[in-house]
Amino acid sequence: PRGLETRQVTRVLSPNATEAFLRAAVASGAEEALVFASEVARSHPSERIRLASFAARAARLAVDDEDALWREGELCGSRMVAAVARQRREALAPA
């Protein structure tokens, strides 16, 4: 069983709509959306969608919490997410 039967994302046709829906869901603040976004950040096959999950969740946080989230991004196993996370953390650091 794959895809809908197992409730797993197995491939991405186009990340554009997925990113938009993910960001909208996280912005709603619904607990299920936040849990789903955390799962996406850990295991989605698209690095771009994983990054969108981190960015959407970070937009809702205070600076200290945002830094912790981006630290998680640095360690998530995605080179793309880690690179952006490092940049975001550097931008958050006091001058």
Side-chain angles (χ1 to χ4, degrees):
R2 293 180 54 193
L4 292 177
E5 294 120 14
T6 61
R7 298 180 59 129
Q8 293 179 330
V9 176
T10 57
R11 63 189 170 131
V12 178
L13 297 178
S14 169
N16 299 332
T18 304
E19 286 182 40
F21 286 125
L22 177 63
R23 290 176 188 271
V26 170
S28 78
E31 184 63 28
E32 288 179 338
L34 299 173
V35 169
F36 176 72
S38 294
E39 292 172 8
V40 165
R42 280 192 301 276
S43 62
H44 199 281
S46 167
E47 287 188 322
R48 189 168 156 177
I49 300 300
R50 293 173 76 181
L51 178 58
S53 172
F54 277 100
R57 292 180 297 144
R60 296 179 39 83
L61 300 174
V63 172
D64 289 342
D65 295 329
E66 186 178 351
D67 183 69
L69 180 67
W70 286 118
R71 176 71 180 139
E72 181 184 321
E74 285 182 311
L75 303 172
C76 78
S78 162
R79 288 173 44 186
M80 181 177 140
V81 173
V84 172
R86 271 190 298 282
Q87 292 172 348
R88 296 286 178 95
R89 290 188 74 218
E90 288 171 6
L92 290 171

